[in-house]
Amino acid sequence: MIQQVRQIGIPVKDVKRATAFYGETLGLQLLFETENMAFFEQNGLRLMLTLPENESFDHPGSVIYFSVEDIEEAYQKIEDKGISFLDQPHLVAKMNETETWMTFFKDTEGNTHALMSEVSV
């Protein structure tokens, strides 16, 4: 059976532009890059940025939820780098003593992603 998610592929149109976004803007650790791909590592999960192999892979990818400790601080830091968010950080769920907060943004390739924070109250 499946033990963990190890890698997520993100289709891109411009590998260099996307690599700068994920590395410089979001601060993910670049493992290596080739002409058509770039790989990032974050706590055991790899993100693979790749030019689509064919037309069937040429579409926006799944939403990736990036966990942050302080969503307001992360929102401000990324916004200061010129990224426009689709909304403000907002409460999406409260489960017992935990609140889940999110805010959504687009990467340079048109993929929608989110910052999320789980806060004990």
Side-chain angles (χ1 to χ4, degrees), residues 18-66:
T19 299
F21 177 82
Y22 284 87
E24 297 167 18
T25 304
L26 296 184
L28 300 182
Q29 177 187 352
L30 179 66
L31 288 176
F32 66 94
E33 60 186 308
T34 69
E35 185 177 320
N36 297 326
M37 295 181 284
F39 291 83
F40 291 86
E41 169 84 28
Q42 192 69 25
N43 295 324
L45 178 67
R46 281 191 299 227
L47 295 180
M48 176 187 68
L49 308 180
T50 183
L51 294 175
E53 289 182 41
N54 59 52
E55 196 175 287
S56 67
F57 292 106
D58 192 10
H59 57 80
S62 299
V63 177
I64 298 175
Y65 294 81
F66 294 97

